[in-house]
Amino acid sequence: QRELEAFGEIKGNAARSRQSSEYYFKAGITWPRRPHLRGHFSMLPPGSIFTDTGPAIFSLNIDKWALCAILNSTLHTSLLHLLMPRGTEESGQTLKYEMGYLEATPIMPPSKEQEVLLASTSARIWRILRSCDEWNETSHQFKMPRLLLHPSEDLNKSVEKWHANAAGLAQEAHDLYQRAEVIVSDMYG
């Protein structure tokens, strides 16, 4: 914290550098301010900071995993997009996921049961997607090439096992996403 304050004073903007600094290093939810086609919200891990170009939400009332599921739902995204001025595809205008739009988009509070279901569903989807990144050579989560996940004497068998595993994970993530969509839809009535 002191290092951040000192940096702000050196750069001549101490007040701006300390704005909301009590939330620095806490877990939350973040998103890109200028998404392409459809925005997405993701977990901001503990130990991170945020800026005006990498904003964050910190919920005191709803579990962060449940809130992430709500924010990523088709229903919430549709409501959010209704608030945004946007031209046609030819106009070059893009989505702007700015705090004012997010604050104006209603979030219905889930029941305790809905919150628990959304949180567990969202966390499981995250774990599935993260595990898929372990064999994506361009990901920071990369651990090993895909075919080494299912070693076999026969290369074709390794490929078949990997494809079956990837298809199973994709189907599970899809099913979980659909479950979350139904829960959010029920919340909004």
Side-chain angles (χ1 to χ4, degrees), residues 34-65:
R34 300 284 188 269
H36 179 69
L37 298 179
R38 177 184 169 146
H40 63 278
F41 297 84
S42 57
M43 301 309 293
L44 179 69
S48 302
I49 61 171
F50 54 92
T51 67
D52 64 320
T53 58
I57 295 173
F58 302 92
S59 175
L60 302 176
N61 303 324
I62 301 174
D63 177 272
K64 65 182 181 293
W65 290 102

Side-chain angles (χ1 to χ4, degrees), residues 18-112:
R18 288 193 297 260
Q19 189 173 20
S20 298
S21 61
E22 68 271 16
Y23 292 103
Y24 285 179
F25 313 114
K26 293 185 180 181
I29 298 172
T30 189
W31 67 95
R33 277 190 37 211
R34 300 284 188 269
H36 179 69
L37 298 179
R38 177 184 169 146
H40 63 278
F41 297 84
S42 57
M43 301 309 293
L44 179 69
S48 302
I49 61 171
F50 54 92
T51 67
D52 64 320
T53 58
I57 295 173
F58 302 92
S59 175
L60 302 176
N61 303 324
I62 301 174
D63 177 272
K64 65 182 181 293
W65 290 102
L67 181 58
C68 198
I70 295 167
L71 294 172
N72 281 314
S73 70
T74 302
L75 196 149
H76 183 269
T77 301
S78 297
L79 290 172
L80 181 61
H81 288 190
L82 285 173
L83 298 173
M84 292 181 203
R86 185 172 184 189
T88 63
E89 289 184 25
E90 295 84 32
S91 74
Q93 286 185 324
T94 188
L95 296 171
K96 297 178 181 177
Y97 277 38
E98 295 176 354
M99 191 59 75
Y101 294 129
L102 288 168
E103 288 174 339
T105 307
I107 295 179
M108 299 301 291
S111 69
K112 236 351 166 184

Side-chain angles (χ1 to χ4, degrees), residues 118-188:
L118 283 172
S120 64
T121 300
S122 181
R124 177 63 186 144
I125 292 170
W126 180 85
R127 283 191 299 277
I128 290 170
L129 297 177
R130 184 179 173 108
S131 73
C132 291
D133 275 351
E134 291 176 357
W135 36 262
N136 179 351
E137 292 90 351
T138 61
S139 170
H140 64 282
Q141 293 298 322
F142 176 71
K143 289 186 179 175
M144 68 179 79
R146 298 170 192 181
L147 294 179
L148 294 180
L149 293 172
H150 304 286
S152 174
E153 298 281 327
D154 182 356
L155 182 60
N156 287 331
K157 286 185 181 180
S158 290
V159 171
E160 287 173 14
K161 285 181 182 178
W162 177 80
H163 278 293
N165 183 51
L169 289 173
Q171 185 62 50
E172 183 182 358
H174 174 76
D175 293 347
L176 289 166
Y177 180 77
Q178 293 304 317
R179 181 191 311 169
E181 288 285 304
V182 169
I183 296 168
V184 172
S185 180
D186 289 347
M187 285 169 39
Y188 282 82

